[in-house]
Amino acid sequence: MCVAVPAEVLEIKEGNIGVVDYGDLKQEVRLDLVDVKVGEFVLVHVGFAIQRLSREEGLETREIFKQVYAALEE
């Protein structure tokens, strides 16, 4: 099973590199597979943005991930 994590695009650098925010972590990812703008949400898998999400979908999915991680820590 593969997992893609939602992230917000904070910055787009030269060479199709994006700086994204997962909520508690910022990371550079490749943007070669999507047409995206700063402020939009994407799904990230192994360092590549693979799909654009609406802001609502991105925030909702991020919250679900937080709940799952919290449950795993209990």
Side-chain angles (χ1 to χ4, degrees):
M1 178 172 98
C2 298
V3 176
V5 181
E8 182 177 7
V9 179
L10 300 178
E11 179 183 350
I12 298 175
K13 298 180 174 184
E14 188 175 326
N16 278 334
I17 302 292
V19 177
V20 299
D21 180 12
Y22 295 99
D24 296 326
L25 171 71
K26 293 178 179 68
Q27 181 180 34
E28 288 187 349
V29 300
R30 298 294 310 186
L31 300 175
D32 303 300
L33 304 174
V34 294
D35 182 24
V36 68
K37 297 176 183 152
V38 171
E40 293 183 317
F41 274 76
V42 292
L43 283 177
V44 179
H45 176 65
V46 294
F48 284 84
I50 60 171
Q51 181 180 338
R52 190 170 31 141
L53 298 173
S54 70
R55 182 165 198 79
E56 181 180 319
E57 289 174 311
L59 292 172
E60 182 179 330
T61 306
R62 183 186 283 176
E63 182 58 33
I64 291 168
F65 269 88
K66 285 181 183 179
Q67 291 173 10
V68 169
Y69 291 135
L72 291 173
E73 290 178 357
E74 292 179 357

